[in-house]
């Protein structure tokens, strides 16, 4: 049985008289000496970033990384951030900043300046990225080519190979050999890299082995094709609509519906127009009339419509929603003879179909990234949605279709009217650091909540976001009042301390 580091630490903390060390003393050596020898060996292994294995050929030298080294203060800061992540109980401690949540921002700032990671910290950086997928891209970018060299020596770091293209050295046929013979991680990395360099070549490479790929791999490779999607991909994706896997068919349909001018988008638009039409016979002015599908035929199913609705959902409304969601939004104004999205959304809908129709348009606006439709469906931030439509209007999703500046302004206005408790998900959609109007709105709302004696735990999520997302310059506006106590005092101290620490981190990276 392999002796772990935790086994050694446990024996050292309790003492060799109370716990027998998991080691075998040499002749004439006491238990404490054997424990120290074993700890020394394990320390060398950890620092070398190697797992204990049978002897094998020495690996080649690690590749050079010509990027500039970190300033010394920034190097020490990275070591502290990584050590705090790995320490038992690391992270938040009372009013102290949560260092684990500062690591992503530090990595982003270091990469923006083009630095390389210190060689001695590469193992800890790879471990941090293994534990947290959200920091992987930034961590691997900082680690550079030496991270891949290390990843080939430790199976726990194979994830790094999936994120980077295999080194082919420009040899003829190297890409094809990797695609035919490589591990899944290497093949995925190759497809991502090739799609960025030559989208058509990546698609043809995938098409050549498509029939032999496993369903889960086909689904993952389709996701890669979503990058740099064009009408050149349409013939291949149309063939995939007949795939034997329902999930793969649905993924192909999703790509085609997001492709302007595709045949599938046209088919969906025709079906949706047959169900949703203008009605000018009403004495109250024009309105929208809806006749939901009566069946889900084989053609609809091939184009990605799921026939069986979820529990509690009617079949016809389920099919209608999918059709309208997949239809291009650009065609609706002409269908109703109005100028644009806002005028379409303002039209009354007959027979209680408005929630289903508008919900489908909301999903279409997010999928198609249409800011005009998202803006029309959102409405003004100061006016909350009516109770009968609140279940389908999801501002957090619709905001993702707006430009970053407009998104931050909408959320700032929302906070000014409705306060912070309802704004947590909305804040998560805004670019970091928060724009000045949004940051000011959050600070003012926190001051108001504290002064009003609001229940503090309802603001804990917002406080955590504010620590990571507020501009550090807001620290001076958040001085802790002398009469503050309890949660509010601790939370404001931590927020101010975190903002100032973030400012210090940026100054260290500037050298």
């Amino acid at each position: 049985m392999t002796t772990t580091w935790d086994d050694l630490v446990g024996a050292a903390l309790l003492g060799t008289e109370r716990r027998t060390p998991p080691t075998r003393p040499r002749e004439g050596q006491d238990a404490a000496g054997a424990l120290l020898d074993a700890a020394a060996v394990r320390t060398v292994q950890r620092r070398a970033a190697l797992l204990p294995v049978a002897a094998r050929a020495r690996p080649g030298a690690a590749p050079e990384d010509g990027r500039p080294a970190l300033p010394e203060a920034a190097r020490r800061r990275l070591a502290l951030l990584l050590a705090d992540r790995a320490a038992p109980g690391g992270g938040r401690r009372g009013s102290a900043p949560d260092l684990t949540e500062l690591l992503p921002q530090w990595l982003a700032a270091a990469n923006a300046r083009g630095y390389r990671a210190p060689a001695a910290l590469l193992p800890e950086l790879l471990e941090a990225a293994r534990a947290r997928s959200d920091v992987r891209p930034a961590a691997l970018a900082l680690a550079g080519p030496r991270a891949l060299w290390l990843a080939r020596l430790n199976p726990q770091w194979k994830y790094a190979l999936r994120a980077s293209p295999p080194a082919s050295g420009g040899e003829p046929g190297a890409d094809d050999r990797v695609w035919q013979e490589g591990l899944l991680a290497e093949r995925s990395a190759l497809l991502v890299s090739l799609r960025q360099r030559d989208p058509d070549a990546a698609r043809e490479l995938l098409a050549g082995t498509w029939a032999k790929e496993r369903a889960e791999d086909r689904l993952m490779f389709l996701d890669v094709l979503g990058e740099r999607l064009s009408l050149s991909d349409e013939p291949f994706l149309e063939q995939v609509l007949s795939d034997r896997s329902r999930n793969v068919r649905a993924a192909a349909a999703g790509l085609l519906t997001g492709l302007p001018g595709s045949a599938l988008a046209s088919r969906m638009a025709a079906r949706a127009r047959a169900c949703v039409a203008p009605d000018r016979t009403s004495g109250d002015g024009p309105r929208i009339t809806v006749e939901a599908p009566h069946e889900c035929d084989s053609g609809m199913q091939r184009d990605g419509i799921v026939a069986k609705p979820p529990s509690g959902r009617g079949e016809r409304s389920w099919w209608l929603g999918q059709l309208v969601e997949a239809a291009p939004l650009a065609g609706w104004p002409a269908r109703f003879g109005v100028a644009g999205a806002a005028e379409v959304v303002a039209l009354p809908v007959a027979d209680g179909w408005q929630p289903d129709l508008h919900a489908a348009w909301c999903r279409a606006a997010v999928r198609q990234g249409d800011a005009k439709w998202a803006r029309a469906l959102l409405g003004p931030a100061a006016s909350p949605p009516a109770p009968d439509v609140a279940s389908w209007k999801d501002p957090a999703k619709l905001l993702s279709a707006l430009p970053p500046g407009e998104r931050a302004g909408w959320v700032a206005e929302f906070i000014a009217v409705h306060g912070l408790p309802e704004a947590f998900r909305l804040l998560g959609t805004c670019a970091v650091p928060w724009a000045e109007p949004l940051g000011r709105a959050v600070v003012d709302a926190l001051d108001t909540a504290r002064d009003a004696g609001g229940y503090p735990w309802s603001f804990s999520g917002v406080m955590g976001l504010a620590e990571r997302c507020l501009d550090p310059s807001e620290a001076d506006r958040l001085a802790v009042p002398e009469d503050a106590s309890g949660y509010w005092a601790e939370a404001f101290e931590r927020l101010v301390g975190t903002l100032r620490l973030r400012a210090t981190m940026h100054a260290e990276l500037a050298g």
Side-chain angles (χ1 to χ4, degrees), residues 327-347:
L329 289 166
W332 289 114
R335 174 65 168 160
F336 299 110
V338 296
E343 289 78 10
V344 174
V345 171
L347 289 173

Side-chain angles (χ1 to χ4, degrees), residues 308-341:
K308 185 177 180 180
S311 178
R313 182 76 180 272
E315 285 184 334
R316 297 183 65 198
S317 67
W318 172 243
W319 300 331
L320 173 73
Q322 294 179 82
L323 289 178
V324 174
E325 176 184 352
L329 289 166
W332 289 114
R335 174 65 168 160
F336 299 110
V338 296

Side-chain angles (χ1 to χ4, degrees), residues 20-86:
T20 302
T23 55
R24 182 177 298 175
R26 300 193 306 272
E27 183 177 354
Q29 186 182 42
D30 59 13
L35 177 63
L36 291 174
D37 284 350
V41 171
R42 291 293 291 144
T43 298
V44 171
Q45 291 170 341
R46 285 159 61 91
R47 289 181 178 175
L50 292 174
L51 297 177
V53 294
R56 58 185 177 182
R58 179 184 299 177
E64 293 295 327
D65 189 338
R67 294 176 296 174
L70 287 167
E72 180 58 25
R75 187 202 66 78
R76 291 195 300 268
R77 180 69 61 191
L78 176 59
L80 287 172
L81 293 173
L82 293 172
D84 192 84
R85 181 204 67 83

Side-chain angles (χ1 to χ4, degrees), residues 395-396 399 410-430 434 438 441-442 445 458-459 461-462 465:
L399 283 168
W410 195 96
V411 177
E413 184 180 352
F414 182 94
I415 291 171
V417 176
H418 307 295
L420 285 172
E422 304 297 325
F424 179 74
R425 291 183 64 239
L426 307 182
L427 287 167
T429 69
C430 298
W434 289 334
L438 177 57
V442 170
S458 62
F459 297 91
V462 174
L465 276 178

Side-chain angles (χ1 to χ4, degrees), residues 246-266:
R246 185 180 69 179
N247 290 336
V248 173
R249 294 195 302 271
L255 291 175
L256 285 168
T257 56
L259 190 59
S262 71
L264 184 140
S266 298

Side-chain angles (χ1 to χ4, degrees), residues 25-331:
R26 300 193 306 272
E27 183 177 354
Q29 186 182 42
D30 59 13
L35 177 63
L36 291 174
D37 284 350
V41 171
R42 291 293 291 144
T43 298
V44 171
Q45 291 170 341
R46 285 159 61 91
R47 289 181 178 175
L50 292 174
L51 297 177
V53 294
R56 58 185 177 182
R58 179 184 299 177
E64 293 295 327
D65 189 338
R67 294 176 296 174
L70 287 167
E72 180 58 25
R75 187 202 66 78
R76 291 195 300 268
R77 180 69 61 191
L78 176 59
L80 287 172
L81 293 173
L82 293 172
D84 192 84
R85 181 204 67 83
R92 189 180 300 282
R93 302 183 188 89
S95 60
D98 186 349
L99 298 186
T100 61
E101 293 304 322
L102 293 180
L103 179 60
Q105 289 196 14
W106 189 96
L107 290 170
N111 283 324
R113 294 180 177 275
Y115 290 123
R116 72 171 187 267
L121 295 179
L122 285 176
E124 293 177 68
L125 190 59
L126 285 167
E127 276 298 297
R130 182 170 74 93
R132 291 183 57 177
S133 59
D134 62 314
V135 305
R136 284 182 188 176
L140 293 176
L142 185 73
R146 293 188 171 187
L148 303 182
W149 181 85
L150 280 175
R152 295 186 180 95
L153 302 177
N154 186 338
Q156 292 181 325
W157 298 334
K158 280 187 176 180
Y159 71 85
L161 302 176
R162 292 193 294 270
S164 302
S168 63
E171 302 173 5
D175 286 349
D176 188 63
R177 284 198 301 274
V178 171
W179 183 250
Q180 297 291 341
E181 304 170 8
L183 300 172
L184 178 61
E186 295 172 321
R187 300 178 74 221
S188 300
L190 171 63
L191 190 64
V192 170
S193 174
L194 190 57
R195 185 67 173 174
Q196 294 170 349
R197 304 192 316 264
D198 189 342
D200 292 340
R203 184 190 62 252
E204 293 304 318
L205 189 69
L206 177 58
T209 60
W210 183 260
K212 300 184 294 184
E213 306 290 354
R214 300 181 304 168
E216 56 267 33
D217 296 343
R218 297 198 302 275
L219 191 62
M220 180 178 63
F221 293 148
L222 273 185
D223 188 55
V224 176
L225 289 192
E227 295 293 328
R228 303 190 66 181
L229 191 67
S230 72
L231 284 174
S232 299
D233 301 310
E234 184 181 12
F236 172 72
L237 293 173
E238 279 283 345
Q239 294 178 5
V240 177
L241 290 176
S242 301
D243 194 270
R244 55 189 181 273
S245 166
R246 185 180 69 179
N247 290 336
V248 173
R249 294 195 302 271
L255 291 175
L256 285 168
T257 56
L259 190 59
S262 71
L264 184 140
S266 298
R267 294 194 297 270
M268 289 298 195
R271 292 174 180 132
R273 286 196 302 269
C275 298
V276 183
D279 177 10
R280 295 183 174 85
T281 62
S282 171
D284 297 328
R287 64 177 183 170
I288 299 174
T289 183
V290 175
E291 181 66 29
H294 290 274
E295 64 173 342
C296 184
D297 58 36
S298 59
M300 291 168 61
Q301 294 183 52
R302 182 182 182 274
D303 284 349
I305 301 300
V306 178
K308 185 177 180 180
S311 178
R313 182 76 180 272
E315 285 184 334
R316 297 183 65 198
S317 67
W318 172 243
W319 300 331
L320 173 73
Q322 294 179 82
L323 289 178
V324 174
E325 176 184 352
L329 289 166

